[in-house]
Amino acid sequence: MGVRRAAKAIGEFLMETIGEAVAEVILSLFACALLAGLALIAYLSWSFSPRLTVAGAGLLGLFLAHGAWKTFRAAKGRRRRGLAAMTTTGFTLTAATAVFLLFYATGCNCL
């Protein structure tokens, strides 16, 4: 009876370890593909029009700065609507993507 329980525990441990390793590989590949896609977009937009690229980056920076300001502002009781909700959501998604790329894309050899 004890041998079966030990074998079952070892099998569960191995399946969990293999699952985590596979998930890590998939997330790393996704992060590298996302990083390569962002680099391709930046390259293509710069080759199309450097001025529009800089202007777009500036507008994106303002959009994210407004979202960060609305996110970390002290007004807790009010509900965000319109532009504030959109910029807050954009900032949150961008921050999550940046953290994802920081942890996973730096581990790949594509840099």
Side-chain angles (χ1 to χ4, degrees), residues 9 18 22-23 25 57 65-66 89 96 107 111:
I18 291 169
V22 168
V25 167
H66 184 263
T89 303
L111 298 175

Side-chain angles (χ1 to χ4, degrees), residues 30-101:
F30 180 68
C32 285
L34 181 63
L35 189 64
L38 290 173
L40 180 66
I41 288 171
Y43 172 75
L44 291 176
S45 70
W46 186 265
S47 66
F48 176 71
S49 174
R51 288 181 183 164
L52 282 177
T53 303
V54 171
L59 286 175
L60 181 64
L62 286 173
F63 178 80
L64 294 176
H66 184 263
W69 179 64
K70 288 291 186 180
T71 299
F72 297 119
R73 213 169 112 209
K76 302 248 189 232
R78 290 185 288 170
R79 195 170 160 212
R80 294 181 181 96
R81 294 186 180 170
L83 180 67
M86 188 173 61
T87 58
T88 301
T89 303
F91 171 73
T92 304
L93 290 175
T94 304
T97 303
V99 168
F100 174 72
L101 285 175

